[in-house]
Amino acid sequence: VELQLRSLSRLLMMLGGMALPPRLERLDRLRTMILGGSLGGGRTLAGCRLVPYRGRLLVCREPAAVAGPLALRNGRPAHWDGRFAVSLRGAGRAAGFQVAALGAEGWRALAAAGADGRAAAIPGAVRPTLPALWHLDAVLAVPHLHFRREGTGVRLTAEFRPVRPLSPPDLLVPAV
């Protein structure tokens, strides 16, 4: 039971971008629901959403808990939502670029641009929480969907580098 609780706690902290673990009582209640198959339509805890998905358990960021927009400057790396190392390239000295969640509005814009077909492999619960590059209320890029608006010349990189990885870096064993 202790290993289950620790593992679940680390997973939630990693995906939720949280620095502190969830309360033990709530964590144990969630563990019991998962093992008992009683999640129903899903639950949230520590900034994460847990939902049954295709016979498995999907754990993703809770849309309401995603960080707000973060202004980006060309060539200056930043960290967004406690989960992603982001960087903007090709913007020169232009201002007004920001990384923010794709959200429903961004998803509608991608669908209007005909780019939503690329997202078929990504569960609908995950899509609104993906990092997207926005400028003047328009989505310019969504790296995880391999989308970049033509003719803009700007590029957003977003690498999953959570503040709290599953395993502390000092426990990682180098490959031989």
Side-chain angles (χ1 to χ4, degrees), residues 9 36 43-44 51 64 76 79 95 122 136 157 161 176:
S9 179
R43 296 287 186 269
T44 60
V51 292
R76 292 205 179 155
H79 206 265
I122 297 180
L136 303 177
T157 57
R161 280 200 220 145
V176 191

Side-chain angles (χ1 to χ4, degrees), residues 145-169:
L145 299 180
H146 305 289
F147 171 77
R148 190 168 92 191
R149 194 167 299 278
E150 296 294 323
T152 62
V154 296
R155 183 171 162 235
L156 174 70
T157 57
E159 295 178 17
F160 186 68
R161 280 200 220 145
V163 173
R164 299 288 293 222
L166 276 180
S167 174

